[in-house]
Coordinates of all heavy atoms in Angstrom, one line a residue:
G25 N -34.6 12.6 69.7 CA -35.9 13.3 69.9 C -36.2 14.3 68.8 O -36.7 15.4 69.1
V26 N -35.8 14.0 67.6 CA -35.8 14.9 66.4 C -37.3 14.9 66.0 O -38.0 13.9 66.0 CB -34.9 14.4 65.3 CG1 -35.1 15.3 64.1 CG2 -33.6 14.3 65.7
N27 N -37.7 16.1 65.6 CA -39.1 16.2 65.1 C -39.2 15.7 63.7 O -38.2 15.4 63.0 CB -39.6 17.7 65.3 CG -38.8 18.6 64.4 OD1 -38.1 18.2 63.5 ND2 -38.9 19.9 64.6
A28 N -40.4 15.5 63.2 CA -40.7 15.0 61.9 C -40.2 15.9 60.8 O -39.8 15.3 59.7 CB -42.2 14.8 61.8
G29 N -40.2 17.1 60.9 CA -39.7 18.1 59.9 C -38.2 17.9 59.6 O -37.7 17.9 58.5
D30 N -37.4 17.7 60.8 CA -36.0 17.5 60.6 C -35.7 16.1 60.0 O -34.8 16.0 59.1 CB -35.3 17.6 62.0 CG -35.3 19.0 62.5 OD1 -35.4 19.9 61.7 OD2 -35.1 19.2 63.7
A31 N -36.5 15.2 60.3 CA -36.3 13.8 59.8 C -36.6 13.8 58.3 O -35.9 13.2 57.4 CB -37.2 12.8 60.5
Q32 N -37.7 14.6 57.9 CA -38.1 14.7 56.5 C -37.0 15.4 55.7 O -36.6 15.0 54.6 CB -39.4 15.3 56.3 CG -39.9 15.3 54.9 CD -41.3 16.0 54.8 OE1 -41.8 16.6 55.8 NE2 -41.9 15.9 53.6
A33 N -36.4 16.5 56.3 CA -35.3 17.2 55.6 C -34.1 16.3 55.4 O -33.4 16.4 54.4 CB -35.0 18.5 56.4
A34 N -33.8 15.5 56.5 CA -32.6 14.6 56.4 C -32.9 13.6 55.3 O -31.9 13.2 54.5 CB -32.3 14.0 57.7
H35 N -34.1 13.1 55.2 CA -34.5 12.2 54.2 C -34.3 12.8 52.8 O -33.8 12.2 51.8 CB -35.9 11.6 54.4 CG -36.3 10.8 53.3 ND1 -35.8 9.5 53.0 CD2 -37.4 10.9 52.4 CE1 -36.4 8.9 52.0 NE2 -37.4 9.8 51.6
I36 N -34.7 14.0 52.6 CA -34.6 14.7 51.3 C -33.2 14.9 51.0 O -32.7 14.7 49.8 CB -35.4 16.0 51.3 CG1 -36.9 15.7 51.4 CG2 -35.1 16.9 50.1 CD1 -37.8 17.0 51.6
D37 N -32.4 15.3 52.0 CA -30.9 15.5 51.7 C -30.3 14.2 51.3 O -29.4 14.2 50.4 CB -30.3 16.0 53.0 CG -30.6 17.5 53.3 OD1 -31.1 18.2 52.3 OD2 -30.3 17.9 54.4
A38 N -30.7 13.1 51.9 CA -30.0 11.8 51.6 C -30.5 11.4 50.2 O -29.7 10.9 49.4 CB -30.5 10.8 52.6
A39 N -31.7 11.7 49.8 CA -32.2 11.3 48.4 C -31.5 12.2 47.4 O -31.1 11.7 46.3 CB -33.7 11.5 48.4
V40 N -31.3 13.5 47.7 CA -30.6 14.3 46.7 C -29.1 13.9 46.6 O -28.6 13.9 45.5 CB -30.7 15.9 47.2 CG1 -29.7 16.7 46.4 CG2 -32.1 16.3 47.1
A41 N -28.5 13.6 47.7 CA -27.1 13.1 47.7 C -27.0 11.8 46.9 O -26.1 11.6 46.0 CB -26.5 12.9 49.0
A42 N -27.9 10.9 47.0 CA -27.9 9.6 46.3 C -28.1 9.9 44.8 O -27.4 9.3 43.9 CB -29.0 8.7 46.8
Q43 N -29.0 10.8 44.5 CA -29.3 11.2 43.1 C -28.0 11.9 42.4 O -27.7 11.5 41.3 CB -30.5 12.1 42.9 CG -31.8 11.4 43.2 CD -32.9 12.4 43.1 OE1 -32.7 13.6 43.1 NE2 -34.2 11.9 43.2
D44 N -27.4 12.7 43.2 CA -26.1 13.3 42.7 C -25.1 12.3 42.5 O -24.3 12.4 41.5 CB -25.6 14.4 43.7 CG -26.5 15.6 43.7 OD1 -27.3 15.8 42.8 OD2 -26.4 16.4 44.7
N45 N -24.9 11.4 43.4 CA -23.9 10.3 43.2 C -24.3 9.4 42.0 O -23.4 9.0 41.2 CB -23.8 9.5 44.5 CG -23.0 10.2 45.5 OD1 -22.2 11.0 45.3 ND2 -23.3 9.8 46.8
A46 N -25.5 9.1 41.8 CA -25.9 8.3 40.6 C -25.7 9.1 39.3 O -25.2 8.5 38.4 CB -27.4 7.9 40.8
R47 N -26.0 10.4 39.3 CA -25.8 11.2 38.2 C -24.3 11.3 37.8 O -23.8 11.2 36.7 CB -26.3 12.6 38.4 CG -26.2 13.4 37.1 CD -26.8 14.8 37.3 NE -28.2 14.8 37.7 CZ -28.7 15.2 38.9 NH1 -27.8 15.7 39.8 NH2 -29.9 15.1 39.2
A48 N -23.5 11.5 38.9 CA -22.0 11.5 38.7 C -21.5 10.2 38.2 O -20.6 10.2 37.3 CB -21.3 11.9 40.0
W49 N -22.0 9.1 38.7 CA -21.6 7.8 38.2 C -22.0 7.6 36.7 O -21.2 7.2 35.9 CB -22.2 6.7 39.0 CG -21.8 5.3 38.6 CD1 -20.7 4.7 38.9 CD2 -22.6 4.4 37.8 NE1 -20.7 3.5 38.4 CE2 -21.8 3.3 37.6 CE3 -23.8 4.5 37.2 CZ2 -22.3 2.2 36.9 CZ3 -24.3 3.4 36.5 CH2 -23.5 2.3 36.3
G50 N -23.2 8.0 36.3 CA -23.6 7.9 34.9 C -22.8 8.8 34.0 O -22.4 8.4 33.0
E51 N -22.5 10.0 34.5 CA -21.6 10.9 33.7 C -20.2 10.3 33.5 O -19.6 10.4 32.5 CB -21.6 12.3 34.3 CG -22.9 13.1 34.2 CD -22.9 14.4 34.9 OE1 -21.9 14.7 35.6 OE2 -23.9 15.1 34.9
G52 N -19.7 9.7 34.6 CA -18.4 9.0 34.5 C -18.4 7.9 33.5 O -17.4 7.8 32.7
Q53 N -19.5 7.2 33.5 CA -19.6 6.1 32.6 C -19.7 6.6 31.1 O -19.1 6.1 30.2 CB -20.8 5.2 32.8 CG -20.7 4.4 34.1 CD -19.6 3.4 34.1 OE1 -19.4 2.8 33.0 NE2 -18.8 3.3 35.1
A54 N -20.4 7.7 30.9 CA -20.5 8.3 29.6 C -19.2 8.8 29.2 O -18.8 8.7 27.9 CB -21.6 9.4 29.6
R55 N -18.4 9.5 30.1 CA -17.1 10.0 29.7 C -16.2 8.8 29.3 O -15.4 8.9 28.4 CB -16.5 10.8 30.8 CG -17.1 12.2 30.9 CD -16.2 13.1 31.8 NE -16.2 12.6 33.2 CZ -17.1 12.9 34.1 NH1 -18.2 13.6 33.8 NH2 -17.0 12.4 35.4
A56 N -16.2 7.7 30.1 CA -15.4 6.5 29.8 C -15.8 5.9 28.4 O -14.9 5.6 27.7 CB -15.6 5.5 30.9
A57 N -17.1 5.9 28.2 CA -17.5 5.3 26.8 C -17.0 6.2 25.7 O -16.5 5.8 24.7 CB -19.0 5.2 26.8
E58 N -17.1 7.5 25.9 CA -16.7 8.5 24.9 C -15.2 8.4 24.7 O -14.7 8.4 23.5 CB -17.0 9.9 25.3 CG -16.7 11.0 24.3 CD -17.1 12.4 24.7 OE1 -17.9 12.5 25.6 OE2 -16.7 13.3 24.0
A59 N -14.4 8.3 25.7 CA -13.0 8.1 25.6 C -12.6 6.8 24.9 O -11.7 6.8 24.1 CB -12.3 8.1 27.0
A60 N -13.4 5.8 25.2 CA -13.1 4.5 24.4 C -13.4 4.6 23.0 O -12.6 4.1 22.1 CB -14.0 3.4 25.1
V61 N -14.5 5.3 22.6 CA -14.8 5.5 21.2 C -13.7 6.4 20.5 O -13.3 6.1 19.4 CB -16.2 6.2 21.1 CG1 -16.4 6.7 19.7 CG2 -17.3 5.2 21.5
Q62 N -13.3 7.4 21.2 CA -12.2 8.2 20.6 C -10.9 7.4 20.5 O -10.2 7.6 19.5 CB -12.0 9.5 21.5 CG -13.0 10.5 21.4 CD -12.8 11.7 22.4 OE1 -11.9 11.6 23.2 NE2 -13.7 12.7 22.2
F63 N -10.6 6.6 21.4 CA -9.4 5.8 21.4 C -9.5 4.9 20.2 O -8.5 4.7 19.4 CB -9.2 5.0 22.7 CG -8.0 4.1 22.6 CD1 -6.7 4.5 22.8 CD2 -8.2 2.7 22.4 CE1 -5.6 3.7 22.7 CE2 -7.1 1.9 22.3 CZ -5.8 2.4 22.5
N64 N -10.6 4.2 20.1 CA -10.8 3.2 18.9 C -10.8 3.9 17.6 O -10.2 3.4 16.6 CB -12.1 2.5 19.1 CG -12.1 1.5 20.2 OD1 -11.0 1.0 20.6 ND2 -13.2 1.1 20.7
T65 N -11.4 5.1 17.5 CA -11.4 5.9 16.3 C -9.9 6.3 15.9 O -9.5 6.1 14.7 CB -12.2 7.2 16.4 OG1 -13.5 6.8 16.7 CG2 -12.2 8.0 15.2
E66 N -9.1 6.7 16.9 CA -7.8 7.1 16.6 C -7.0 5.8 16.2 O -6.1 5.9 15.3 CB -7.1 7.7 17.8 CG -5.7 8.1 17.7 CD -5.5 9.2 16.6 OE1 -6.5 9.9 16.3 OE2 -4.4 9.3 16.1
A67 N -7.2 4.7 16.8 CA -6.4 3.5 16.4 C -6.8 3.0 15.0 O -5.9 2.7 14.3 CB -6.8 2.3 17.4
V68 N -8.1 3.1 14.7 CA -8.5 2.8 13.3 C -7.9 3.8 12.3 O -7.4 3.3 11.2 CB -10.0 2.8 13.2 CG1 -10.5 2.8 11.7 CG2 -10.6 1.7 13.9
R69 N -7.8 5.0 12.6 CA -7.2 6.0 11.7 C -5.7 5.7 11.5 O -5.2 5.8 10.4 CB -7.4 7.4 12.3 CG -6.9 8.5 11.3 CD -6.8 9.9 12.0 NE -5.8 9.9 13.1 CZ -4.5 10.0 12.9 NH1 -4.0 9.9 11.7 NH2 -3.7 10.0 13.9
Q70 N -5.0 5.4 12.6 CA -3.6 5.1 12.5 C -3.4 3.8 11.7 O -2.4 3.8 10.9 CB -3.0 4.9 13.9 CG -2.8 6.2 14.7 CD -2.3 6.0 16.1 OE1 -2.1 5.0 16.5 NE2 -2.1 7.2 16.7
V71 N -4.2 2.8 11.9 CA -4.0 1.6 11.1 C -4.3 1.9 9.6 O -3.5 1.4 8.7 CB -5.0 0.5 11.6 CG1 -5.1 -0.7 10.6 CG2 -4.5 0.0 12.9
A72 N -5.3 2.7 9.3 CA -5.6 3.0 7.9 C -4.4 3.8 7.3 O -4.0 3.6 6.1 CB -6.9 3.8 7.9
E73 N -3.9 4.7 8.1 CA -2.8 5.6 7.6 C -1.5 4.7 7.3 O -0.8 4.8 6.3 CB -2.4 6.6 8.6 CG -1.4 7.6 8.1 CD -1.2 8.8 9.1 OE1 -2.2 9.2 9.7 OE2 -0.1 9.2 9.3
T74 N -1.3 3.7 8.2 CA -0.1 2.8 8.1 C -0.3 2.0 6.8 O 0.6 1.8 6.0 CB 0.1 2.0 9.3 OG1 0.2 2.8 10.5 CG2 1.2 1.0 9.2
N75 N -1.5 1.4 6.6 CA -1.8 0.6 5.4 C -1.7 1.5 4.2 O -1.1 1.0 3.2 CB -3.2 0.0 5.5 CG -3.3 -1.1 6.5 OD1 -2.2 -1.8 6.8 ND2 -4.4 -1.4 6.9
R76 N -2.1 2.7 4.2 CA -2.0 3.6 3.0 C -0.5 3.8 2.7 O -0.1 3.8 1.6 CB -2.7 4.9 3.3 CG -2.6 5.9 2.1 CD -3.3 7.2 2.4 NE -2.7 7.8 3.6 CZ -1.6 8.6 3.6 NH1 -0.9 8.7 2.5 NH2 -1.1 9.1 4.7
D77 N 0.3 4.1 3.7 CA 1.7 4.3 3.6 C 2.4 3.0 3.0 O 3.2 3.1 2.1 CB 2.4 4.6 4.9 CG 2.0 6.1 5.3 OD1 1.5 6.8 4.5 OD2 2.3 6.4 6.5
L78 N 2.0 1.8 3.5 CA 2.6 0.6 3.0 C 2.2 0.4 1.5 O 3.1 0.0 0.7 CB 2.1 -0.6 3.8 CG 2.7 -0.7 5.2 CD1 2.1 -1.8 6.0 CD2 4.2 -0.9 5.2
Q79 N 1.0 0.6 1.2 CA 0.5 0.5 -0.2 C 1.2 1.5 -1.1 O 1.7 1.1 -2.2 CB -1.0 0.6 -0.3 CG -1.8 -0.5 0.4 CD -1.6 -1.8 -0.3 OE1 -1.4 -1.9 -1.4 NE2 -1.6 -2.8 0.6
E80 N 1.4 2.7 -0.6 CA 2.0 3.7 -1.5 C 3.5 3.4 -1.7 O 4.0 3.5 -2.8 CB 1.9 5.1 -0.8 CG 2.4 6.2 -1.6 CD 2.2 7.6 -0.9 OE1 1.4 7.6 0.1 OE2 2.8 8.5 -1.3
N81 N 4.2 2.9 -0.7 CA 5.6 2.5 -0.8 C 5.7 1.3 -1.7 O 6.6 1.3 -2.5 CB 6.2 2.2 0.6 CG 6.4 3.4 1.5 OD1 6.4 4.5 0.9 ND2 6.5 3.2 2.7
A82 N 4.8 0.4 -1.6 CA 4.8 -0.8 -2.5 C 4.6 -0.4 -4.0 O 5.3 -0.9 -4.9 CB 3.8 -1.8 -2.1
Y83 N 3.7 0.6 -4.2 CA 3.4 1.0 -5.6 C 4.6 1.7 -6.2 O 5.1 1.4 -7.3 CB 2.2 2.0 -5.5 CG 2.0 2.7 -6.9 CD1 1.4 2.0 -8.0 CD2 2.4 4.0 -7.1 CE1 1.3 2.6 -9.2 CE2 2.3 4.6 -8.3 CZ 1.7 3.9 -9.3 OH 1.5 4.5 -10.5
W84 N 5.2 2.7 -5.4 CA 6.3 3.4 -5.9 C 7.5 2.5 -6.1 O 8.4 2.7 -6.9 CB 6.6 4.7 -5.1 CG 5.5 5.7 -5.3 CD1 4.7 6.1 -4.4 CD2 5.2 6.4 -6.5 NE1 3.8 7.1 -5.0 CE2 4.2 7.2 -6.3 CE3 5.8 6.3 -7.8 CZ2 3.6 8.1 -7.3 CZ3 5.2 7.2 -8.8 CH2 4.2 8.0 -8.5
G85 N 7.6 1.5 -5.2 CA 8.8 0.6 -5.3 C 8.6 -0.2 -6.6 O 9.7 -0.5 -7.3
S86 N 7.4 -0.6 -6.9 CA 7.2 -1.4 -8.2 C 7.5 -0.5 -9.4 O 8.0 -1.0 -10.4 CB 5.8 -2.0 -8.2 OG 4.8 -1.0 -8.3
V87 N 7.1 0.8 -9.3 CA 7.3 1.7 -10.4 C 8.8 1.8 -10.6 O 9.3 1.8 -11.7 CB 6.6 3.0 -10.1 CG1 7.2 4.1 -11.1 CG2 5.1 2.9 -10.3
A88 N 9.5 2.0 -9.5 CA 11.0 2.2 -9.6 C 11.6 0.9 -10.1 O 12.6 1.0 -11.0 CB 11.6 2.5 -8.2
A89 N 11.2 -0.3 -9.7 CA 11.7 -1.5 -10.2 C 11.5 -1.7 -11.7 O 12.3 -2.1 -12.5 CB 11.1 -2.7 -9.5
N90 N 10.3 -1.3 -12.2 CA 10.0 -1.4 -13.6 C 10.8 -0.4 -14.4 O 11.3 -0.7 -15.5 CB 8.5 -1.1 -13.8 CG 7.6 -2.2 -13.4 OD1 8.1 -3.3 -13.3 ND2 6.3 -1.9 -13.2
Q91 N 11.0 0.8 -13.8 CA 11.9 1.8 -14.6 C 13.3 1.3 -14.6 O 14.0 1.4 -15.6 CB 11.8 3.1 -13.9 CG 10.5 3.8 -14.1 CD 10.4 5.1 -13.3 OE1 11.1 5.3 -12.3 NE2 9.4 5.9 -13.6
N92 N 13.8 0.7 -13.6 CA 15.1 0.1 -13.5 C 15.3 -1.0 -14.6 O 16.3 -1.1 -15.2 CB 15.5 -0.4 -12.1 CG 15.7 0.7 -11.2 OD1 16.0 1.9 -11.6 ND2 15.7 0.4 -9.9
A93 N 14.2 -1.8 -14.7 CA 14.3 -3.0 -15.6 C 14.3 -2.4 -17.1 O 15.1 -2.9 -17.9 CB 13.1 -3.9 -15.4
V94 N 13.5 -1.4 -17.3 CA 13.5 -0.8 -18.7 C 14.9 -0.1 -19.0 O 15.4 -0.3 -20.1 CB 12.4 0.3 -18.8 CG1 12.5 1.1 -20.0 CG2 11.0 -0.4 -18.8
A95 N 15.4 0.6 -18.0 CA 16.7 1.2 -18.2 C 17.8 0.1 -18.4 O 18.7 0.3 -19.3 CB 17.1 2.1 -17.0
A96 N 17.8 -1.0 -17.7 CA 18.7 -2.0 -17.9 C 18.6 -2.7 -19.3 O 19.6 -2.9 -20.0 CB 18.5 -3.1 -16.8
A97 N 17.3 -2.9 -19.7 CA 17.1 -3.4 -21.1 C 17.6 -2.5 -22.2 O 18.2 -2.9 -23.2 CB 15.6 -3.7 -21.3
Q98 N 17.4 -1.2 -21.9 CA 17.9 -0.2 -22.9 C 19.4 -0.1 -22.9 O 20.0 0.0 -24.0 CB 17.3 1.2 -22.6 CG 15.8 1.3 -22.9 CD 15.3 2.7 -22.4 OE1 15.9 3.3 -21.6 NE2 14.1 3.0 -22.9
S99 N 20.0 -0.3 -21.8 CA 21.5 -0.3 -21.7 C 22.0 -1.5 -22.4 O 23.0 -1.4 -23.1 CB 21.9 -0.3 -20.2 OG 21.6 0.8 -19.6
H100 N 21.4 -2.7 -22.2 CA 21.8 -3.9 -22.9 C 21.7 -3.8 -24.4 O 22.5 -4.2 -25.2 CB 21.1 -5.1 -22.4 CG 21.5 -5.5 -21.0 ND1 22.8 -5.8 -20.7 CD2 20.8 -5.6 -19.9 CE1 22.9 -6.1 -19.4 NE2 21.7 -6.0 -18.9
A101 N 20.5 -3.1 -24.8 CA 20.3 -3.0 -26.3 C 21.3 -2.0 -26.8 O 21.9 -2.3 -27.9 CB 18.9 -2.4 -26.5
A102 N 21.7 -1.0 -26.1 CA 22.7 0.0 -26.6 C 24.1 -0.7 -26.7 O 24.8 -0.5 -27.6 CB 22.7 1.2 -25.7
A103 N 24.4 -1.5 -25.7 CA 25.6 -2.2 -25.7 C 25.7 -3.2 -26.8 O 26.7 -3.3 -27.5 CB 25.8 -2.9 -24.3
A104 N 24.6 -4.0 -27.0 CA 24.6 -4.9 -28.2 C 24.7 -4.2 -29.5 O 25.4 -4.6 -30.4 CB 23.3 -5.7 -28.1
S105 N 24.0 -3.1 -29.6 CA 24.1 -2.3 -30.9 C 25.5 -1.7 -31.1 O 26.0 -1.7 -32.2 CB 23.1 -1.3 -30.7 OG 23.2 -0.2 -31.4
G106 N 26.2 -1.4 -30.0 CA 27.6 -0.9 -30.1 C 28.5 -2.0 -30.5 O 29.4 -1.8 -31.3
V107 N 28.3 -3.2 -30.0 CA 29.1 -4.4 -30.4 C 28.9 -4.7 -31.8 O 29.8 -5.0 -32.6 CB 28.7 -5.6 -29.5 CG1 29.3 -6.9 -30.0 CG2 29.2 -5.3 -28.1
V108 N 27.6 -4.7 -32.3 CA 27.4 -4.9 -33.7 C 28.0 -3.9 -34.6 O 28.6 -4.3 -35.6 CB 25.8 -5.0 -33.9 CG1 25.5 -5.0 -35.4 CG2 25.2 -6.2 -33.2
A109 N 27.9 -2.6 -34.2 CA 28.5 -1.6 -35.0 C 30.0 -1.8 -35.0 O 30.7 -1.6 -36.1 CB 28.2 -0.2 -34.5
A110 N 30.6 -2.1 -33.9 CA 32.1 -2.3 -33.8 C 32.5 -3.5 -34.7 O 33.5 -3.5 -35.4 CB 32.5 -2.5 -32.4
R111 N 31.7 -4.6 -34.6 CA 32.0 -5.8 -35.4 C 31.9 -5.4 -36.9 O 32.7 -5.9 -37.8 CB 31.1 -6.9 -35.1 CG 31.3 -7.5 -33.7 CD 32.6 -8.1 -33.5 NE 32.7 -8.5 -32.1 CZ 33.8 -9.1 -31.6 NH1 34.8 -9.3 -32.4 NH2 33.9 -9.5 -30.4

Side-chain angles (χ1 to χ4, degrees):
V26 179
N27 64 15
D30 288 340
Q32 186 177 8
H35 175 63
I36 290 171
D37 288 343
V40 168
Q43 287 175 351
D44 287 345
N45 284 334
R47 184 178 305 113
W49 181 79
E51 289 173 358
Q53 292 297 318
R55 283 192 299 272
E58 184 178 348
V61 166
Q62 287 177 352
F63 176 79
N64 288 340
T65 302
E66 180 64 20
V68 166
R69 187 193 62 75
Q70 288 177 356
V71 167
E73 186 175 324
T74 301
N75 284 338
R76 182 184 55 83
D77 289 344
L78 289 173
Q79 293 296 326
E80 185 176 346
N81 289 341
Y83 171 77
W84 288 114
S86 68
V87 167
N90 287 340
Q91 288 174 346
N92 289 341
V94 168
Q98 289 173 343
S99 294
H100 288 301
S105 153
V107 167
V108 168
R111 296 292 179 182

